[in-house]
Amino acid sequence: MSDWFLQRSFGVRFEWGPVGAQRLASDVACLVVVDVLSFTTSVSVAVEAGTRVYPYAWRDETAAVFAKEKAAALAVGRRAAGSASPWSLSPAALRRAPFTPRLVLPSPNGSAIAAAAAGSAVVAGCLRNASAVGRWLAEHGYGTPELPVAVIAAGERWPDGSLRPALEDLMGAGAITAELQARGAGPLSPEAAAAHACFTHTPDVAAAVAACSSGLELTRGGFAEDAAIAGELDAGTAVPVLTDGAFRPAEVRG
């Protein structure tokens, strides 16, 4: 295959899903994972509370083994959370759960993208920390043709396993891209510019997250609070960076 898909010559690039991340990873200096509902929003909430978050791609018996190896609590599915296992892939549940210093957070989309980094830096971005992430990237020189950054929207899955592009992830990617451009990063690839435009032309981001397909899925399933937390634009300042297998807060200058 030729390299037409790499968006070369652009400092800020944009692509979808684990396969897109795998394709771009070897040609960029940094990957930003954006999975607004709810992996990276959950990471932002947990990291703000002082928890190290270990991404894991499978929610099966191997996740428990991995958590034991890391001496970490294991997040369960939203509906499986309870007094015995209060941590789940739910930002609202994580806010209410007791503090844990280490947490394994299984997620087939967000974790798979993080695992595709191939040696690049990996940052967890969402709407809650979009400006903080964009600022941190620019301050560290990312987002130029010399140190390109790929912003990866995780998307969701249709029942047959195929990728379902998700509006909330497109807007999250656009918010980070907008901050990068405002701080002099670029040039933006046409794909990144389209994500930027989606965000900047959305008058009420929180309302869009709540009303989009993924937001409705959560709300009708009884998890409207998760959609509301995901729409908290720039409410968080922590920049989770994957370090030694876990997301931890990066040092933020100034």
Side-chain angles (χ1 to χ4, degrees):
M1 179 181 283
S2 65
D3 61 1
W4 51 264
F5 54 88
L6 291 175
Q7 303 174 36
R8 279 190 173 149
S9 79
F10 297 105
V12 181
R13 310 173 189 182
F14 170 76
E15 201 38 271
W16 284 97
V19 175
Q22 291 167 5
R23 294 294 187 186
L24 268 63
S26 62
D27 203 61
V28 298
C30 181
L31 280 182
V32 181
V33 185
V34 181
D35 190 351
V36 171
L37 292 174
S38 296
F39 175 72
T40 52
T41 297
S42 295
V43 170
S44 76
V45 168
V47 166
E48 283 173 9
T51 297
R52 293 182 184 180
V53 178
Y54 291 84
Y56 196 71
W58 300 279
R59 187 178 288 120
D60 57 17
E61 63 276 3
T62 66
V65 174
F66 180 73
K68 186 174 182 180
E69 290 173 354
K70 299 299 181 183
L74 176 63
V76 297
R78 278 187 175 89
R79 298 191 181 283
S83 57
S85 299
W87 305 278
S88 75
L89 192 65
S90 161
L94 291 177
R95 280 184 172 174
R96 291 189 290 266
F99 171 75
T100 181
R102 299 181 176 206
L103 179 68
V104 171
L105 192 61
S107 166
N109 287 339
S111 292
I113 292 169
S120 301
V122 179
V123 177
C126 58
L127 288 164
R128 293 190 74 255
N129 67 359
S131 290
V133 167
R135 180 169 59 250
W136 184 88
L137 291 168
E139 288 175 347
H140 287 77
Y142 294 117
T144 66
E146 294 74 30
L147 288 174
V149 59
V151 184
I152 308 294
E156 297 293 342
R157 297 285 168 182
W158 290 111
D160 66 359
S162 61
L163 177 70
R164 176 173 69 80
L167 178 63
E168 69 277 7
D169 293 341
L170 182 63
M171 288 195 298
I176 294 165
T177 300
E179 183 68 21
L180 276 164
Q181 186 181 61
R183 292 184 174 270
L188 274 58
S189 71
E191 291 86 349
H196 178 292
C198 174
F199 169 73
T200 56
H201 287 84
T202 298
D204 189 334
V205 171
V209 170
C212 73
S213 297
S214 303
L216 288 177
E217 180 185 20
L218 284 180
T219 298
R220 293 175 181 177
F223 298 97
E225 191 178 357
D226 284 345
I229 293 171
E232 294 175 344
L233 183 62
D234 290 332
T237 59
V239 179
V241 177
L242 194 62
T243 307
D244 296 329
F247 284 107
R248 312 180 192 195
E251 285 191 21
V252 178
R253 301 173 186 174

